[in-house]
Amino acid sequence: MKSRMVFPIVITLIVSLACQFSGQQPADPNQVPTQTQETIIPTETPVPPVELESEITDEFGVPMALVPEGEFLMGADAEEALAECMKSMDDCQLEWFTDAEPPHQVYLDAFYMDIYEVTNAHYAVCVEAGECFPPRRPASITRSSYYGDPQYDNYPVVLVSWDLARAYCKWRGGDLPTEAQWEKAARGTEGGTYPWGEGIDPDRANYNENVGDTTEVGSYENGKSPYGMYDMAGNVWEWVIDRYDPNYYARSPSSNPPGSTAGELRVLRGSSFNFLGDFVLRASIRRGLAPDSFNYAIGFRCAKDVGP
């Protein structure tokens, strides 16, 4: 009887020892076997940044250049500007420059701006579409036939008010540039006095009555701004969207300044063919004028924000 009980005990002992050596526990007949699953955590594929083209041509055939996002130096020191003015004129006044004080760093989102001042031919397309009014007169300061004359198609349109200029830019899907956009496009990030940097001569711009009237856009290759814009000094003054506030720079936001809400005048930038003195071509020079004004020496260019 005793010999029969030994055999099952030995078998149980052998199975137990085998499990210990294999690192496994004896099977539990009441346990339901389960399958171990590996947890997979999904990962997001980074979206590469959109590469913006340095130049584009909009749907109306107007070439525009990219001004990348980032900071630039806006404004100028009045005393320094006065000293520069005195080199070419004897009657310079300090108050001519105090509205551009103080020089300050400004951040702007990327945008596109017209490479050339808006021409007679491009403006005429908007007039023909019934979306714009023609210039006040079809003449320029020395030419009785100008707007509508094919030989001047590639010259800047003049005798358009701020409202007419803005209506044209809106029609193209953009707007007049802000002062900050205009100034960055004109001087870049190096803070140059003029669009091309330093120093001035008649080979760089149409100014100081050297020509006595407008010149064809893009005529001054040596006068281009850092982003490739022509005539941002001289040829014609350019409307921008801002109201003219002589004290705005002292409280202007440091990021994408929208312009002042005070004042009735609108800002002009860039000077023109008939203003005397080198100083007025400075990229920081700003002037105010009633928005319903028309002038032989005033034109404009357009800007478009970068977006979807």
Side-chain angles (χ1 to χ4, degrees):
M1 187 70 178
K2 289 182 180 180
S3 61
R4 293 177 181 176
M5 295 295 294
V6 171
F7 184 75
I9 293 173
V10 172
I11 295 298
T12 301
L13 181 61
I14 293 172
V15 171
S16 178
L17 290 172
C19 289
Q20 290 180 25
F21 281 111
S22 66
Q24 299 178 354
Q25 296 298 321
D28 184 350
N30 298 318
Q31 183 178 0
V32 178
T34 60
Q35 183 177 359
T36 304
Q37 296 183 351
E38 182 180 356
T39 302
I40 300 176
I41 301 174
T43 58
E44 294 183 2
T45 302
V47 179
V50 177
E51 189 71 26
L52 297 173
E53 297 182 54
S54 60
E55 290 188 14
I56 62 171
T57 300
D58 75 1
E59 60 181 302
F60 300 97
V62 181
M64 307 183 81
L66 175 69
V67 180
E69 65 175 328
E71 290 189 333
F72 79 105
L73 181 66
M74 186 172 184
D77 177 81
E79 294 286 352
E80 183 273 331
L82 177 63
E84 186 70 21
C85 177
M86 293 293 289
K87 294 178 182 179
S88 60
M89 295 181 66
D90 295 329
D91 60 345
C92 298
Q93 304 296 320
L94 183 62
E95 55 266 26
W96 293 353
F97 309 101
T98 55
D99 62 353
E101 280 195 315
H104 56 292
Q105 289 291 322
V106 172
Y107 169 87
L108 292 179
D109 294 331
F111 61 96
Y112 284 100
M113 181 177 279
D114 290 349
I115 292 176
Y116 307 104
E117 292 164 330
V118 174
T119 64
N120 285 322
H122 282 134
Y123 188 81
V125 177
C126 184
V127 174
E128 292 164 5
E131 299 295 330
C132 293
F133 288 101
R136 187 68 173 266
R137 286 183 288 277
S140 72
I141 197 167
T142 64
R143 310 171 185 116
S144 59
S145 176
Y146 182 67
Y147 176 80
D149 188 330
Q151 66 178 316
Y152 299 115
D153 277 353
N154 207 35
Y155 285 61
V157 67
V158 296
L159 293 168
V160 290
S161 66
W162 180 89
D163 297 287
L164 296 187
R166 192 178 189 201
Y168 170 84
C169 291
K170 288 284 193 179
W171 173 71
R172 274 183 46 204
D175 209 336
L176 290 172
T178 65
E179 271 202 276
Q181 287 176 328
W182 191 97
E183 190 167 328
K184 183 176 182 181
R187 71 193 310 188
T189 58
E190 299 300 319
T193 302
Y194 303 100
W196 51 84
E198 304 304 322
I200 186 169
D201 60 67
D203 187 46
R204 297 184 185 273
N206 176 14
Y207 74 104
N208 213 22
E209 293 190 344
N210 293 326
V211 176
D213 207 330
T214 59
T215 47
E216 185 174 7
V217 299
S219 295
Y220 295 87
E221 189 69 25
N222 293 333
K224 289 191 299 185
S225 80
Y227 302 109
M229 284 79 166
Y230 290 83
D231 298 315
M232 297 205 77
N235 215 12
V236 292
W237 286 97
E238 298 179 16
W239 290 114
V240 296
I241 200 168
D242 301 45
R243 295 178 184 274
Y244 178 72
D245 179 348
N247 302 311
Y248 183 63
Y249 280 20
R251 61 179 189 279
S252 171
S254 60
S255 178
N256 296 308
S260 176
T261 58
E264 298 300 322
L265 306 182
R266 296 289 177 170
V267 175
L268 292 168
R269 303 298 299 254
S271 192
S272 68
F273 64 85
N274 63 349
F275 262 68
L276 301 176
D278 299 354
F279 80 94
V280 81
L281 293 191
R282 296 171 63 92
S284 59
I285 287 289
R286 50 199 300 259
R287 291 290 182 265
L289 192 67
D292 58 353
S293 298
F294 297 84
N295 193 286
Y296 289 112
I298 297 176
F300 67 100
R301 73 181 76 213
C302 305
K304 288 185 179 181
D305 293 333
V306 173

